[in-house]
Amino acid sequence: AENTLNYIQREGHLLIDDPDIPDIPVDFRGRHVLVVVRGVDYKKDLQLLRRSGYLKEQRPLLVGVDGGADAIMDLGLTPDVIIGDMDSVSERALRCGAALVVHGYTDGRAPGADLLDQLGVPYAVFASAGTSEDIAMLLAFERGAALIVAVGTHSSMVDFLDKGRPGMASTFLVRIKVGDR
């Protein structure tokens, strides 16, 4: 809780300011967006979305957060966007044609960019103090998504307060901001 309060004091602008989101060639306006993170129950949730007909009927934009891109591809689908520090995503996914967004630090460093430079694939950098799943949700929200559906993401009080992860405070703030979607 203390971590979250400190983060709010430092990064509270996330709630009210428009973040500097990179321009990518994907139109989110009015669309459902499925954000996939390889977290708790992500495989079960993806199968449920498939069996329910949601994926076929809504045809959401597919956003893979790092290895979440591979989870999307394991379903036989292709991610529209891959976001993260690129440390747990396969080269196959990175070359699938998705728009690539490297999670950069606020000091300008973007370690995942080195790999993408080596592969020779185009990318944009999104600098944020938050987590990669946070910037995936902010990107969808700020670009006008009608609904954000997330699987494998952090969502419980245990996730936000008990994990001892500094990045969880930003996740709490982002969820407040995008909560109506």
Side-chain angles (χ1 to χ4, degrees):
E2 181 181 340
N3 176 43
T4 300
L5 292 173
N6 288 335
Y7 190 87
I8 288 172
Q9 288 176 341
R10 281 191 332 271
E11 304 292 336
H13 62 87
L14 276 176
L15 292 174
I16 53 176
D17 293 345
D18 293 330
D20 187 18
I21 295 178
D23 192 26
I24 60 171
V26 178
D27 188 4
F28 288 79
R29 286 174 298 180
R31 298 278 311 270
H32 285 213
V33 175
L34 175 59
V35 175
V36 179
V37 178
R38 284 193 316 191
V40 176
D41 292 330
Y42 78 97
K43 287 181 181 179
K44 183 178 83 173
D45 292 344
L46 284 171
Q47 290 302 325
L48 178 64
L49 289 171
R50 172 174 260 171
R51 284 192 313 272
S52 72
Y54 174 79
L55 294 174
K56 191 173 189 176
E57 292 169 18
Q58 295 298 325
R59 300 183 43 82
L61 284 173
L62 303 172
V63 177
V65 177
D66 280 321
D70 289 297
I72 292 168
M73 294 185 76
D74 289 346
L75 287 175
L77 303 170
T78 303
D80 296 290
V81 180
I82 300 172
I83 294 178
D85 53 17
M86 308 302 166
D87 66 345
S88 61
V89 60
S90 71
E91 183 175 338
R92 175 181 78 120
L94 293 173
R95 293 187 182 280
C96 76
L100 304 176
V101 179
V102 174
H103 182 185
Y105 300 110
T106 54
D107 66 5
R109 291 178 297 130
D114 293 340
L115 172 62
L116 301 183
D117 287 337
Q118 289 172 7
L119 295 175
V121 293
Y123 63 90
V125 175
F126 188 159
S128 174
T131 66
S132 295
E133 71 184 68
D134 297 339
I135 66 171
M137 290 192 183
L138 281 173
L139 178 69
F141 178 82
E142 295 293 341
R143 292 292 186 235
L147 178 72
I148 302 169
V149 176
V151 299
T153 62
H154 299 91
S155 60
S156 73
M157 289 304 286
V158 170
D159 287 335
F160 291 121
L161 302 177
D162 284 348
K163 286 196 119 178
R165 290 182 58 208
M168 294 313 298
S170 67
T171 301
F172 184 72
L173 290 179
V174 168
R175 295 311 190 281
I176 290 171
K177 184 170 187 169
V178 305
D180 67 335
R181 292 201 200 152

